Amino acid sequence: MQTTFIVHVEDQPGVLTRVTSLIRRRGFNIESLTVGHTERAGISRMTIVMDSDERAVPRIEANLYKLVNVISVENVTPQPVVFRDLAMIKVAATEASRGPIMQLVDVFRARVVDVSPDSLIIEITGTEDKIDGLVEMLKPYGVLEMARTGRVAMARGSSAPILAAAERPAGDKEVEFDSGVSFSV
C-alpha cells in the first residue's frame, strides 16, 4: 500500500536525516521525498511517499511525532488530495523532429524551457502517469537526460495542519487515530 505523509519540521540541520533514518530503521522504502520551505519562516514541509502495510502507518506516524524537530504529521492517503510531480526532460531534437516534439509538448500541456541546435528541455508538471506518458512518447526521439521531483501533495479544502500544531503548547503533541486510540508524545 502506498502511503503519503505530509510532515512539517523545523528547518534545522540533520532533521532530514533523522526522519529518513526513522523510516529506514522500520524497514520501509521511501519511494519519493520532497522537501521545501513553507509560508512560515523556519518551517519546512516534507512529502513522503512510502510502501507500507496498514498496520504500520499509525506506528510510523506516532514515531515521527517523537522526533524533536517534527511539528506536525498528516497521513493524507485516505483524504482528497492534489498530487503533482515536476520533471525536466532533455530530448534530442533535429530540425525534422522539432515540430512533432512541440506538438507532443502541447498535447501534454508541458512547455519548452530551453532550445539548443540539437536538443530541447521540456518542463512538465502533473501526475506521475501524465509525466510517464510524455516520457514514453519522447523515447523514440532520444531522451538525453531527465530530472524528476518526487510527489508533492496538498489536502483539498481549507484545512491547514501546521496551524493546528502551532496552537498546541510546546512539547504537548497528541496523535489520535481512526480507531479511537490516541498517544501523547
Side-chain angles (χ1 to χ4, degrees):
M1 171 181 130
Q2 207 172 51
T3 304
T4 303
F5 286 109
I6 294 175
V7 182
H8 287 91
V9 297
E10 294 173 4
D11 191 11
Q12 298 288 323
V15 174
L16 177 62
T17 302
R18 281 184 225 118
V19 169
T20 56
S21 293
L22 182 145
I23 294 169
R24 179 191 53 80
R25 284 193 311 265
R26 302 296 182 269
F28 297 104
N29 185 39
I30 295 175
E31 294 198 4
S32 168
L33 172 65
T34 57
V35 183
H37 298 289
T38 64
E39 71 282 0
R40 297 180 62 184
I43 297 176
S44 294
R45 178 187 179 109
M46 296 180 174
T47 304
I48 304 170
V49 180
M50 52 188 271
D51 256 337
S52 64
D53 57 65
E54 282 185 37
R55 290 182 12 216
V57 171
R59 262 192 343 231
I60 293 169
E61 189 173 350
N63 283 311
L64 284 169
Y65 263 118
K66 288 180 182 176
L67 297 176
V68 173
N69 303 104
V70 171
I71 297 167
S72 69
V73 179
E74 185 178 14
N75 176 10
V76 295
T77 308
Q79 300 177 17
V81 176
V82 177
F83 294 112
R84 291 292 182 267
D85 281 26
L86 168 78
M88 293 177 59
I89 307 161
K90 187 184 293 181
V91 61
T94 61
E95 266 190 56
S97 65
R98 200 172 300 269
I101 292 172
M102 297 294 271
Q103 288 176 343
L104 283 173
V105 167
D106 286 342
V107 168
F108 282 86
R109 291 189 220 155
R111 64 188 190 132
V112 174
V113 293
D114 185 65
V115 178
S116 69
D118 56 355
S119 68
L120 300 170
I121 297 178
I122 299 164
E123 173 190 273
I124 182 169
T125 305
T127 63
E128 292 175 67
D129 292 343
K130 177 183 174 184
I131 294 171
D132 291 342
L134 178 60
V135 170
E136 284 301 314
M137 296 302 291
L138 291 174
K139 279 184 179 174
Y141 298 101
V143 174
L144 303 173
E145 188 176 357
M146 183 169 65
R148 287 179 78 155
T149 66
R151 182 186 291 176
V152 177
M154 185 171 283
R156 294 180 185 265
S158 60
S159 68
I162 192 165
L163 296 177
E167 293 170 2
R168 285 189 224 128
D172 185 15
K173 297 177 182 176
E174 185 167 308
V175 182
E176 186 169 325
F177 302 104
D178 292 338
S179 62
V181 177
S182 64
F183 300 92
S184 291
V185 290

